[in-house]
Amino acid sequence: MRAYRLSAALAVFAFTPALAFAGDTEWRRYVIPSTVTSVDMPVSIFTSDAGPPEDGTGRRFFTEDRRADLTVQSVPNPENELPATFLAKQRPPAGIIYKRITSDFFVVSSIRKDRIWYNRCNRGNGTMNCVLINYPSEEKRQWDDVVTRISRTLRS
């Protein structure tokens, strides 16, 4: 039984992106020129540029194995709505596990199909400036510090 547990633990780490929890992760500031929205991005983790997001301006990135993705985007908010109003209009899915809303930003997160999705949007001048991160739920602990740094460095 002990050997099985060790094998299972090693299997999880073998498939976990090593850089998601390594201390030598390389970070760079990513900027959306049109809105001057910026965020610290772990470029040694999100190595593949997937092009612009479906809505708004910005970029989408994947890990090399495409198991996790990061989107940095600015979405038009021409009426400069408060984050609570903007979020309600987006019709977020039911079952949100974590939600925090202030007058300056909102954060929502949950699990869907064994993947954690995390969305933070800061209110800008006529935009909502967002990071969206998706990654395997079984890797939550390995991703916690990465997600926290990305979220805390988002600037509008």
Side-chain angles (χ1 to χ4, degrees):
M1 185 64 149
R2 185 175 170 183
Y4 172 75
R5 286 186 193 150
L6 180 58
S7 298
L10 290 175
V12 168
F13 285 112
F15 292 106
T16 301
L19 294 173
F21 54 89
D24 61 350
T25 301
E26 181 182 353
W27 294 83
R28 287 192 198 134
R29 197 85 185 144
Y30 173 77
V31 178
I32 300 173
S34 61
T35 61
V36 196
T37 297
S38 65
V39 67
D40 283 358
M41 187 180 120
V43 295
S44 54
I45 297 172
F46 294 105
T47 57
S48 299
D49 186 333
E54 293 179 21
D55 298 326
T57 61
R59 282 324 259 180
R60 189 166 185 213
F61 304 91
F62 283 101
T63 55
E64 190 165 323
D65 59 12
R66 298 181 71 87
R67 289 182 28 238
D69 63 85
L70 165 67
T71 302
V72 182
Q73 70 181 52
S74 294
V75 179
N77 183 16
E79 296 174 24
N80 211 25
E81 296 172 325
L82 290 171
T85 305
F86 185 88
L87 177 61
K89 287 184 175 182
Q90 299 301 308
R91 297 186 179 144
I96 290 175
I97 294 172
Y98 177 79
K99 182 192 300 187
R100 181 170 179 216
I101 302 172
T102 74
S103 60
D104 296 321
F105 70 90
F106 70 80
V107 176
V108 288
S109 183
S110 196
I111 299 173
R112 180 179 21 197
K113 297 182 182 177
D114 296 326
R115 293 175 55 77
I116 293 176
W117 60 269
Y118 176 94
N119 186 353
R120 177 183 177 133
C121 292
N122 291 354
R123 185 177 175 205
N125 187 16
T127 60
M128 290 298 282
N129 303 298
C130 308
V131 290
L132 298 85
I133 310 166
N134 297 283
Y135 54 96
S137 58
E138 69 270 7
E139 298 174 11
K140 181 188 180 311
R141 288 186 185 187
Q142 290 86 1
W143 283 94
D144 280 349
D145 289 343
V146 170
V147 171
T148 298
R149 179 165 174 179
I150 292 169
S151 178
R152 288 185 177 167
T153 63
L154 178 65
R155 299 287 178 263
S156 301

